């Protein structure tokens, strides 16, 4: 099997008051291979004052991970079925809901793939089967409780 690593680095900035909750939630994320991303808490969680505009929050990363994993698995399943994909785009959306008093979770992620085919495209039934196979094989979807649907 494989091991995956990410580094998260946050530091209190001079003048911020940690114990009063008055500090930036901005942080750096680094991944194997050297890719770095600016991270933050969601403004929906901590407000705009303590989040960092333009940075990625954990909820967005979860939605993007589910979308990317589905796409990569779908591309593989389509190729094995003999269909050539020319382009794939998805505007995925995650919904945060209360699951118990004081507890929230991303309970549903809707994938909205738009696929361009090079050559013959699958019929609706085959396309649905390919998406189902991709969902069943997606490592990230298999790792979470979140409902994942393809619209």
């Amino acid at each position: 099997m494989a091991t995956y690593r990410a580094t998260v680095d946050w530091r209190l900035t001079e003048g911020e008051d940690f114990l009063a909750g008055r500090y930036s939630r901005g942080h750096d994320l680094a991944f194997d291979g050297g890719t770095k991303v600016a991270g933050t808490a969601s403004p929906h969680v901590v407000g705009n004052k303590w989040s960092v505009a333009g940075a990625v929050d954990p909820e967005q990363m979860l939605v993007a991970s589910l979308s990317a994993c589905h796409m990569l698995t779908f591309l593989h399943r389509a190729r094995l079925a003999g269909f050539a994909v020319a382009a794939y785009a998805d505007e995925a959306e995650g919904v945060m809901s209360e699951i118990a008093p004081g507890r929230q979770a991303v309970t549903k992620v809707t994938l909205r793939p738009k696929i361009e085919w090079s050559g013959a495209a699958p019929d609706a039934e085959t396309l649905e089967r390919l998406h189902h196979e991709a969902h069943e094989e997606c490592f990230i979807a298999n790792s979470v409780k979140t409902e994942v649907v393809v619209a």
Side-chain angles (χ1 to χ4, degrees), residues 17-52:
D17 187 344
F18 183 80
L19 293 177
R22 295 183 173 129
Y23 59 91
S24 173
R25 277 29 173 220
H27 54 276
D28 294 319
L29 304 161
F31 302 91
D32 273 349
T35 300
K36 293 185 179 183
V37 176
T40 189
S42 171
H44 300 288
V45 176
V46 299
N48 289 327
K49 185 174 183 176
W50 305 115
S51 65
V52 177

PDB file of all heavy atoms in Angstrom, residues 17-52:
ATOM      1  N   ASP A  17      -4.304  37.698  19.745  1.00  0.00           N
ATOM      2  CA  ASP A  17      -4.638  37.209  21.081  1.00  0.00           C
ATOM      3  C   ASP A  17      -5.238  35.812  20.957  1.00  0.00           C
ATOM      4  O   ASP A  17      -6.437  35.653  20.734  1.00  0.00           O
ATOM      5  CB  ASP A  17      -5.605  38.169  21.765  1.00  0.00           C
ATOM      6  CG  ASP A  17      -5.864  37.828  23.223  1.00  0.00           C
ATOM      7  OD1 ASP A  17      -5.551  36.694  23.650  1.00  0.00           O
ATOM      8  OD2 ASP A  17      -6.408  38.697  23.928  1.00  0.00           O
ATOM      9  N   PHE A  18      -4.398  34.813  21.106  1.00  0.00           N
ATOM     10  CA  PHE A  18      -4.827  33.425  20.920  1.00  0.00           C
ATOM     11  C   PHE A  18      -5.945  33.037  21.878  1.00  0.00           C
ATOM     12  O   PHE A  18      -6.967  32.493  21.473  1.00  0.00           O
ATOM     13  CB  PHE A  18      -3.629  32.476  21.072  1.00  0.00           C
ATOM     14  CG  PHE A  18      -3.983  31.045  20.817  1.00  0.00           C
ATOM     15  CD1 PHE A  18      -4.087  30.566  19.521  1.00  0.00           C
ATOM     16  CD2 PHE A  18      -4.233  30.179  21.868  1.00  0.00           C
ATOM     17  CE1 PHE A  18      -4.431  29.243  19.281  1.00  0.00           C
ATOM     18  CE2 PHE A  18      -4.582  28.861  21.646  1.00  0.00           C
ATOM     19  CZ  PHE A  18      -4.677  28.392  20.347  1.00  0.00           C
ATOM     20  N   LEU A  19      -5.758  33.308  23.170  1.00  0.00           N
ATOM     21  CA  LEU A  19      -6.743  32.868  24.168  1.00  0.00           C
ATOM     22  C   LEU A  19      -8.097  33.547  23.999  1.00  0.00           C
ATOM     23  O   LEU A  19      -9.129  32.984  24.375  1.00  0.00           O
ATOM     24  CB  LEU A  19      -6.195  33.085  25.584  1.00  0.00           C
ATOM     25  CG  LEU A  19      -5.005  32.191  25.941  1.00  0.00           C
ATOM     26  CD1 LEU A  19      -4.481  32.529  27.340  1.00  0.00           C
ATOM     27  CD2 LEU A  19      -5.364  30.717  25.842  1.00  0.00           C
ATOM     28  N   ALA A  20      -8.121  34.725  23.399  1.00  0.00           N
ATOM     29  CA  ALA A  20      -9.385  35.413  23.130  1.00  0.00           C
ATOM     30  C   ALA A  20      -9.971  35.006  21.781  1.00  0.00           C
ATOM     31  O   ALA A  20     -11.045  35.470  21.404  1.00  0.00           O
ATOM     32  CB  ALA A  20      -9.172  36.923  23.175  1.00  0.00           C
ATOM     33  N   GLY A  21      -9.270  34.143  21.036  1.00  0.00           N
ATOM     34  CA  GLY A  21      -9.753  33.703  19.725  1.00  0.00           C
ATOM     35  C   GLY A  21      -9.510  34.702  18.620  1.00  0.00           C
ATOM     36  O   GLY A  21     -10.057  34.576  17.529  1.00  0.00           O
ATOM     37  N   ARG A  22      -8.667  35.691  18.880  1.00  0.00           N
ATOM     38  CA  ARG A  22      -8.391  36.744  17.909  1.00  0.00           C
ATOM     39  C   ARG A  22      -7.058  36.497  17.225  1.00  0.00           C
ATOM     40  O   ARG A  22      -6.042  37.099  17.588  1.00  0.00           O
ATOM     41  CB  ARG A  22      -8.420  38.099  18.609  1.00  0.00           C
ATOM     42  CG  ARG A  22      -9.794  38.421  19.139  1.00  0.00           C
ATOM     43  CD  ARG A  22      -9.843  39.788  19.759  1.00  0.00           C
ATOM     44  NE  ARG A  22     -11.232  40.085  20.079  1.00  0.00           N
ATOM     45  CZ  ARG A  22     -11.640  40.493  21.258  1.00  0.00           C
ATOM     46  NH1 ARG A  22     -10.773  40.697  22.226  1.00  0.00           N
ATOM     47  NH2 ARG A  22     -12.913  40.720  21.470  1.00  0.00           N
ATOM     48  N   TYR A  23      -7.095  35.587  16.286  1.00  0.00           N
ATOM     49  CA  TYR A  23      -5.886  35.231  15.542  1.00  0.00           C
ATOM     50  C   TYR A  23      -6.286  34.718  14.168  1.00  0.00           C
ATOM     51  O   TYR A  23      -7.363  34.185  13.967  1.00  0.00           O
ATOM     52  CB  TYR A  23      -5.056  34.179  16.285  1.00  0.00           C
ATOM     53  CG  TYR A  23      -5.789  32.895  16.566  1.00  0.00           C
ATOM     54  CD1 TYR A  23      -5.737  31.831  15.658  1.00  0.00           C
ATOM     55  CD2 TYR A  23      -6.558  32.735  17.717  1.00  0.00           C
ATOM     56  CE1 TYR A  23      -6.431  30.654  15.904  1.00  0.00           C
ATOM     57  CE2 TYR A  23      -7.241  31.563  17.966  1.00  0.00           C
ATOM     58  CZ  TYR A  23      -7.179  30.520  17.053  1.00  0.00           C
ATOM     59  OH  TYR A  23      -7.865  29.367  17.284  1.00  0.00           O
ATOM     60  N   SER A  24      -5.387  34.896  13.227  1.00  0.00           N
ATOM     61  CA  SER A  24      -5.629  34.435  11.864  1.00  0.00           C
ATOM     62  C   SER A  24      -5.616  32.917  11.803  1.00  0.00           C
ATOM     63  O   SER A  24      -4.803  32.259  12.447  1.00  0.00           O
ATOM     64  CB  SER A  24      -4.560  34.983  10.921  1.00  0.00           C
ATOM     65  OG  SER A  24      -4.710  34.411   9.626  1.00  0.00           O
ATOM     66  N   ARG A  25      -6.513  32.382  11.020  1.00  0.00           N
ATOM     67  CA  ARG A  25      -6.538  30.931  10.794  1.00  0.00           C
ATOM     68  C   ARG A  25      -5.737  30.559   9.539  1.00  0.00           C
ATOM     69  O   ARG A  25      -5.714  29.432   9.104  1.00  0.00           O
ATOM     70  CB  ARG A  25      -7.966  30.437  10.640  1.00  0.00           C
ATOM     71  CG  ARG A  25      -8.779  30.152  11.911  1.00  0.00           C
ATOM     72  CD  ARG A  25      -8.437  30.958  13.121  1.00  0.00           C
ATOM     73  NE  ARG A  25      -9.400  30.710  14.205  1.00  0.00           N
ATOM     74  CZ  ARG A  25      -9.871  31.650  14.998  1.00  0.00           C
ATOM     75  NH1 ARG A  25      -9.481  32.910  14.858  1.00  0.00           N
ATOM     76  NH2 ARG A  25     -10.722  31.348  15.954  1.00  0.00           N
ATOM     77  N   GLY A  26      -5.046  31.542   8.977  1.00  0.00           N
ATOM     78  CA  GLY A  26      -4.210  31.291   7.804  1.00  0.00           C
ATOM     79  C   GLY A  26      -3.038  30.385   8.149  1.00  0.00           C
ATOM     80  O   GLY A  26      -2.455  30.490   9.231  1.00  0.00           O
ATOM     81  N   HIS A  27      -2.731  29.491   7.251  1.00  0.00           N
ATOM     82  CA  HIS A  27      -1.622  28.553   7.447  1.00  0.00           C
ATOM     83  C   HIS A  27      -1.105  28.102   6.092  1.00  0.00           C
ATOM     84  O   HIS A  27      -1.698  28.425   5.058  1.00  0.00           O
ATOM     85  CB  HIS A  27      -2.067  27.346   8.291  1.00  0.00           C
ATOM     86  CG  HIS A  27      -3.265  26.643   7.751  1.00  0.00           C
ATOM     87  ND1 HIS A  27      -4.552  27.054   8.015  1.00  0.00           N
ATOM     88  CD2 HIS A  27      -3.379  25.553   6.955  1.00  0.00           C
ATOM     89  CE1 HIS A  27      -5.413  26.259   7.404  1.00  0.00           C
ATOM     90  NE2 HIS A  27      -4.723  25.341   6.740  1.00  0.00           N
ATOM     91  N   ASP A  28      -0.006  27.395   6.106  1.00  0.00           N
ATOM     92  CA  ASP A  28       0.569  26.865   4.869  1.00  0.00           C
ATOM     93  C   ASP A  28       0.404  25.356   4.849  1.00  0.00           C
ATOM     94  O   ASP A  28       0.552  24.683   5.875  1.00  0.00           O
ATOM     95  CB  ASP A  28       2.065  27.199   4.782  1.00  0.00           C
ATOM     96  CG  ASP A  28       2.308  28.691   4.662  1.00  0.00           C
ATOM     97  OD1 ASP A  28       1.564  29.363   3.921  1.00  0.00           O
ATOM     98  OD2 ASP A  28       3.241  29.188   5.320  1.00  0.00           O
ATOM     99  N   LEU A  29       0.106  24.841   3.689  1.00  0.00           N
ATOM    100  CA  LEU A  29       0.009  23.399   3.461  1.00  0.00           C
ATOM    101  C   LEU A  29       1.078  23.025   2.457  1.00  0.00           C
ATOM    102  O   LEU A  29       1.263  23.722   1.456  1.00  0.00           O
ATOM    103  CB  LEU A  29      -1.366  23.036   2.885  1.00  0.00           C
ATOM    104  CG  LEU A  29      -2.573  23.476   3.704  1.00  0.00           C
ATOM    105  CD1 LEU A  29      -3.825  23.495   2.860  1.00  0.00           C
ATOM    106  CD2 LEU A  29      -2.726  22.554   4.887  1.00  0.00           C
ATOM    107  N   ALA A  30       1.799  21.967   2.720  1.00  0.00           N
ATOM    108  CA  ALA A  30       2.817  21.486   1.777  1.00  0.00           C
ATOM    109  C   ALA A  30       2.598  19.998   1.561  1.00  0.00           C
ATOM    110  O   ALA A  30       2.244  19.267   2.487  1.00  0.00           O
ATOM    111  CB  ALA A  30       4.217  21.753   2.314  1.00  0.00           C
ATOM    112  N   PHE A  31       2.802  19.568   0.346  1.00  0.00           N
ATOM    113  CA  PHE A  31       2.569  18.178  -0.037  1.00  0.00           C
ATOM    114  C   PHE A  31       3.836  17.574  -0.612  1.00  0.00           C
ATOM    115  O   PHE A  31       4.723  18.297  -1.063  1.00  0.00           O
ATOM    116  CB  PHE A  31       1.434  18.109  -1.073  1.00  0.00           C
ATOM    117  CG  PHE A  31       0.151  18.713  -0.567  1.00  0.00           C
ATOM    118  CD1 PHE A  31      -0.141  20.049  -0.780  1.00  0.00           C
ATOM    119  CD2 PHE A  31      -0.744  17.950   0.151  1.00  0.00           C
ATOM    120  CE1 PHE A  31      -1.309  20.616  -0.298  1.00  0.00           C
ATOM    121  CE2 PHE A  31      -1.926  18.497   0.637  1.00  0.00           C
ATOM    122  CZ  PHE A  31      -2.198  19.837   0.412  1.00  0.00           C
ATOM    123  N   ASP A  32       3.896  16.247  -0.615  1.00  0.00           N
ATOM    124  CA  ASP A  32       5.012  15.565  -1.264  1.00  0.00           C
ATOM    125  C   ASP A  32       5.196  16.170  -2.650  1.00  0.00           C
ATOM    126  O   ASP A  32       4.231  16.465  -3.335  1.00  0.00           O
ATOM    127  CB  ASP A  32       4.716  14.068  -1.408  1.00  0.00           C
ATOM    128  CG  ASP A  32       5.122  13.280  -0.186  1.00  0.00           C
ATOM    129  OD1 ASP A  32       5.815  13.833   0.680  1.00  0.00           O
ATOM    130  OD2 ASP A  32       4.738  12.109  -0.108  1.00  0.00           O
ATOM    131  N   GLY A  33       6.410  16.346  -3.042  1.00  0.00           N
ATOM    132  CA  GLY A  33       6.683  16.928  -4.349  1.00  0.00           C
ATOM    133  C   GLY A  33       6.875  18.428  -4.282  1.00  0.00           C
ATOM    134  O   GLY A  33       7.206  19.058  -5.271  1.00  0.00           O
ATOM    135  N   GLY A  34       6.636  19.029  -3.102  1.00  0.00           N
ATOM    136  CA  GLY A  34       6.937  20.434  -2.933  1.00  0.00           C
ATOM    137  C   GLY A  34       5.810  21.409  -3.192  1.00  0.00           C
ATOM    138  O   GLY A  34       5.988  22.604  -3.003  1.00  0.00           O
ATOM    139  N   THR A  35       4.646  20.943  -3.632  1.00  0.00           N
ATOM    140  CA  THR A  35       3.553  21.861  -3.876  1.00  0.00           C
ATOM    141  C   THR A  35       3.111  22.503  -2.566  1.00  0.00           C
ATOM    142  O   THR A  35       2.922  21.818  -1.568  1.00  0.00           O
ATOM    143  CB  THR A  35       2.361  21.131  -4.528  1.00  0.00           C
ATOM    144  OG1 THR A  35       2.797  20.577  -5.778  1.00  0.00           O
ATOM    145  CG2 THR A  35       1.186  22.055  -4.765  1.00  0.00           C
ATOM    146  N   LYS A  36       2.947  23.823  -2.584  1.00  0.00           N
ATOM    147  CA  LYS A  36       2.503  24.554  -1.401  1.00  0.00           C
ATOM    148  C   LYS A  36       1.202  25.279  -1.711  1.00  0.00           C
ATOM    149  O   LYS A  36       1.026  25.795  -2.813  1.00  0.00           O
ATOM    150  CB  LYS A  36       3.564  25.551  -0.954  1.00  0.00           C
ATOM    151  CG  LYS A  36       4.811  24.859  -0.441  1.00  0.00           C
ATOM    152  CD  LYS A  36       5.808  25.830   0.118  1.00  0.00           C
ATOM    153  CE  LYS A  36       7.013  25.044   0.617  1.00  0.00           C
ATOM    154  NZ  LYS A  36       8.005  25.896   1.238  1.00  0.00           N
ATOM    155  N   VAL A  37       0.326  25.307  -0.717  1.00  0.00           N
ATOM    156  CA  VAL A  37      -0.981  25.933  -0.858  1.00  0.00           C
ATOM    157  C   VAL A  37      -1.251  26.746   0.397  1.00  0.00           C
ATOM    158  O   VAL A  37      -0.943  26.304   1.506  1.00  0.00           O
ATOM    159  CB  VAL A  37      -2.090  24.859  -1.036  1.00  0.00           C
ATOM    160  CG1 VAL A  37      -3.466  25.479  -1.096  1.00  0.00           C
ATOM    161  CG2 VAL A  37      -1.833  24.003  -2.266  1.00  0.00           C
ATOM    162  N   ALA A  38      -1.852  27.917   0.211  1.00  0.00           N
ATOM    163  CA  ALA A  38      -2.284  28.720   1.360  1.00  0.00           C
ATOM    164  C   ALA A  38      -3.590  28.139   1.882  1.00  0.00           C
ATOM    165  O   ALA A  38      -4.542  27.942   1.127  1.00  0.00           O
ATOM    166  CB  ALA A  38      -2.474  30.170   0.944  1.00  0.00           C
ATOM    167  N   GLY A  39      -3.630  27.869   3.182  1.00  0.00           N
ATOM    168  CA  GLY A  39      -4.819  27.315   3.806  1.00  0.00           C
ATOM    169  C   GLY A  39      -5.413  28.284   4.804  1.00  0.00           C
ATOM    170  O   GLY A  39      -4.757  29.225   5.262  1.00  0.00           O
ATOM    171  N   THR A  40      -6.676  28.047   5.146  1.00  0.00           N
ATOM    172  CA  THR A  40      -7.390  28.875   6.111  1.00  0.00           C
ATOM    173  C   THR A  40      -8.556  28.093   6.673  1.00  0.00           C
ATOM    174  O   THR A  40      -8.902  27.028   6.155  1.00  0.00           O
ATOM    175  CB  THR A  40      -7.898  30.178   5.457  1.00  0.00           C
ATOM    176  OG1 THR A  40      -8.405  31.048   6.474  1.00  0.00           O
ATOM    177  CG2 THR A  40      -8.989  29.909   4.440  1.00  0.00           C
ATOM    178  N   ALA A  41      -9.169  28.617   7.700  1.00  0.00           N
ATOM    179  CA  ALA A  41     -10.464  28.108   8.138  1.00  0.00           C
ATOM    180  C   ALA A  41     -11.519  28.737   7.234  1.00  0.00           C
ATOM    181  O   ALA A  41     -11.339  29.840   6.707  1.00  0.00           O
ATOM    182  CB  ALA A  41     -10.725  28.489   9.590  1.00  0.00           C
ATOM    183  N   SER A  42     -12.630  28.068   7.077  1.00  0.00           N
ATOM    184  CA  SER A  42     -13.713  28.594   6.256  1.00  0.00           C
ATOM    185  C   SER A  42     -14.281  29.865   6.872  1.00  0.00           C
ATOM    186  O   SER A  42     -14.515  29.921   8.082  1.00  0.00           O
ATOM    187  CB  SER A  42     -14.824  27.549   6.147  1.00  0.00           C
ATOM    188  OG  SER A  42     -15.969  28.117   5.536  1.00  0.00           O
ATOM    189  N   PRO A  43     -14.532  30.890   6.064  1.00  0.00           N
ATOM    190  CA  PRO A  43     -15.171  32.089   6.606  1.00  0.00           C
ATOM    191  C   PRO A  43     -16.571  31.780   7.151  1.00  0.00           C
ATOM    192  O   PRO A  43     -17.080  32.499   7.995  1.00  0.00           O
ATOM    193  CB  PRO A  43     -15.212  33.053   5.418  1.00  0.00           C
ATOM    194  CG  PRO A  43     -14.987  32.223   4.215  1.00  0.00           C
ATOM    195  CD  PRO A  43     -14.227  31.011   4.644  1.00  0.00           C
ATOM    196  N   HIS A  44     -17.181  30.697   6.705  1.00  0.00           N
ATOM    197  CA  HIS A  44     -18.486  30.280   7.232  1.00  0.00           C
ATOM    198  C   HIS A  44     -18.359  29.803   8.675  1.00  0.00           C
ATOM    199  O   HIS A  44     -19.339  29.761   9.407  1.00  0.00           O
ATOM    200  CB  HIS A  44     -19.087  29.161   6.380  1.00  0.00           C
ATOM    201  CG  HIS A  44     -19.307  29.561   4.961  1.00  0.00           C
ATOM    202  ND1 HIS A  44     -20.302  30.428   4.568  1.00  0.00           N
ATOM    203  CD2 HIS A  44     -18.641  29.245   3.833  1.00  0.00           C
ATOM    204  CE1 HIS A  44     -20.243  30.612   3.268  1.00  0.00           C
ATOM    205  NE2 HIS A  44     -19.235  29.908   2.794  1.00  0.00           N
ATOM    206  N   VAL A  45     -17.147  29.415   9.063  1.00  0.00           N
ATOM    207  CA  VAL A  45     -16.914  28.892  10.408  1.00  0.00           C
ATOM    208  C   VAL A  45     -16.393  29.979  11.345  1.00  0.00           C
ATOM    209  O   VAL A  45     -16.870  30.125  12.471  1.00  0.00           O
ATOM    210  CB  VAL A  45     -15.926  27.696  10.365  1.00  0.00           C
ATOM    211  CG1 VAL A  45     -15.599  27.204  11.756  1.00  0.00           C
ATOM    212  CG2 VAL A  45     -16.489  26.570   9.506  1.00  0.00           C
ATOM    213  N   VAL A  46     -15.403  30.751  10.889  1.00  0.00           N
ATOM    214  CA  VAL A  46     -14.756  31.740  11.780  1.00  0.00           C
ATOM    215  C   VAL A  46     -15.012  33.191  11.372  1.00  0.00           C
ATOM    216  O   VAL A  46     -14.514  34.100  12.026  1.00  0.00           O
ATOM    217  CB  VAL A  46     -13.228  31.497  11.874  1.00  0.00           C
ATOM    218  CG1 VAL A  46     -12.929  30.135  12.451  1.00  0.00           C
ATOM    219  CG2 VAL A  46     -12.548  31.708  10.525  1.00  0.00           C
ATOM    220  N   GLY A  47     -15.749  33.413  10.310  1.00  0.00           N
ATOM    221  CA  GLY A  47     -15.990  34.764   9.828  1.00  0.00           C
ATOM    222  C   GLY A  47     -14.856  35.249   8.941  1.00  0.00           C
ATOM    223  O   GLY A  47     -13.770  34.674   8.913  1.00  0.00           O
ATOM    224  N   ASN A  48     -15.128  36.307   8.211  1.00  0.00           N
ATOM    225  CA  ASN A  48     -14.136  36.852   7.278  1.00  0.00           C
ATOM    226  C   ASN A  48     -12.918  37.436   7.980  1.00  0.00           C
ATOM    227  O   ASN A  48     -11.829  37.420   7.433  1.00  0.00           O
ATOM    228  CB  ASN A  48     -14.773  37.919   6.384  1.00  0.00           C
ATOM    229  CG  ASN A  48     -15.734  37.324   5.378  1.00  0.00           C
ATOM    230  OD1 ASN A  48     -15.532  36.212   4.896  1.00  0.00           O
ATOM    231  ND2 ASN A  48     -16.802  38.044   5.085  1.00  0.00           N
ATOM    232  N   LYS A  49     -13.110  37.961   9.193  1.00  0.00           N
ATOM    233  CA  LYS A  49     -12.008  38.631   9.884  1.00  0.00           C
ATOM    234  C   LYS A  49     -10.856  37.683  10.183  1.00  0.00           C
ATOM    235  O   LYS A  49      -9.699  38.083  10.128  1.00  0.00           O
ATOM    236  CB  LYS A  49     -12.513  39.268  11.176  1.00  0.00           C
ATOM    237  CG  LYS A  49     -11.447  40.075  11.889  1.00  0.00           C
ATOM    238  CD  LYS A  49     -12.014  40.820  13.079  1.00  0.00           C
ATOM    239  CE  LYS A  49     -10.932  41.673  13.712  1.00  0.00           C
ATOM    240  NZ  LYS A  49     -11.462  42.476  14.814  1.00  0.00           N
ATOM    241  N   TRP A  50     -11.144  36.422  10.497  1.00  0.00           N
ATOM    242  CA  TRP A  50     -10.101  35.493  10.923  1.00  0.00           C
ATOM    243  C   TRP A  50      -9.726  34.471   9.857  1.00  0.00           C
ATOM    244  O   TRP A  50      -8.828  33.680  10.046  1.00  0.00           O
ATOM    245  CB  TRP A  50     -10.502  34.808  12.231  1.00  0.00           C
ATOM    246  CG  TRP A  50     -10.815  35.819  13.289  1.00  0.00           C
ATOM    247  CD1 TRP A  50     -12.022  36.028  13.879  1.00  0.00           C
ATOM    248  CD2 TRP A  50      -9.936  36.787  13.838  1.00  0.00           C
ATOM    249  NE1 TRP A  50     -11.953  37.064  14.764  1.00  0.00           N
ATOM    250  CE2 TRP A  50     -10.662  37.554  14.771  1.00  0.00           C
ATOM    251  CE3 TRP A  50      -8.596  37.102  13.643  1.00  0.00           C
ATOM    252  CZ2 TRP A  50     -10.109  38.593  15.493  1.00  0.00           C
ATOM    253  CZ3 TRP A  50      -8.046  38.139  14.376  1.00  0.00           C
ATOM    254  CH2 TRP A  50      -8.789  38.872  15.283  1.00  0.00           C
ATOM    255  N   SER A  51     -10.433  34.466   8.741  1.00  0.00           N
ATOM    256  CA  SER A  51     -10.041  33.596   7.621  1.00  0.00           C
ATOM    257  C   SER A  51      -9.208  34.418   6.638  1.00  0.00           C
ATOM    258  O   SER A  51      -9.126  35.636   6.752  1.00  0.00           O
ATOM    259  CB  SER A  51     -11.275  33.011   6.930  1.00  0.00           C
ATOM    260  OG  SER A  51     -12.036  34.046   6.322  1.00  0.00           O
ATOM    261  N   VAL A  52      -8.600  33.756   5.700  1.00  0.00           N
ATOM    262  CA  VAL A  52      -7.733  34.424   4.730  1.00  0.00           C
ATOM    263  C   VAL A  52      -8.372  34.310   3.343  1.00  0.00           C
ATOM    264  O   VAL A  52      -8.550  33.199   2.817  1.00  0.00           O
ATOM    265  CB  VAL A  52      -6.322  33.790   4.720  1.00  0.00           C
ATOM    266  CG1 VAL A  52      -5.453  34.438   3.661  1.00  0.00           C
ATOM    267  CG2 VAL A  52      -5.679  33.892   6.093  1.00  0.00           C
TER     268      VAL A  52
END
